[in-house]
Amino acid sequence: MREAGFVCDKFLLTTNTTYSPSGIGPAENLGSPSSGPIVLSITKVAGDVQISWTGTGTLQSSSKVTGPFVNVTAGGSSPVIVAPTATQLFYRVMN
């Protein structure tokens, strides 16, 4: 995932080993032309997950890849530490 030119628009965190994604999810979010693509980074921190991103935008989550998405508490600026409390959650950053 550190290859030059790699862009990740969506990612899935799940503890369900039998989960099989379907569909393509919500429309991609590549940022505005002036800011360029949003680059996401995911790091395991103790029992939690740290999500960080470049540029501006608000981190949102949903239990379904198709939404609806809601703003994550303290998700207005990067980075955000989230506790994996659900079997699966989908995240995105919206400008």
Side-chain angles (χ1 to χ4, degrees):
M1 291 187 50
R2 294 183 184 200
E3 298 297 322
F6 179 82
V7 175
C8 176
D9 180 58
K10 301 172 189 121
F11 63 92
L12 164 70
L13 299 174
T14 181
T15 57
N16 181 352
T17 58
T18 62
Y19 177 73
S20 178
S22 61
I24 61 171
E28 61 187 19
N29 175 19
L30 295 178
S32 64
S34 61
S35 67
I38 295 170
V39 178
L40 296 167
S41 298
I42 308 163
T43 307
K44 185 176 179 181
V45 179
D48 296 331
V49 176
Q50 177 177 293
I51 303 172
S52 57
W53 60 95
T54 59
T56 60
T58 301
L59 184 66
Q60 297 182 326
S61 69
S62 174
S63 61
K64 297 179 182 179
V65 71
T66 55
F69 283 82
V70 296
N71 291 349
V72 172
T73 302
S77 62
S78 176
V80 172
I81 304 283
V82 294
T85 57
T87 303
Q88 65 192 29
L89 283 174
F90 300 87
Y91 292 89
R92 71 180 183 185
V93 174
M94 293 295 291
N95 284 329

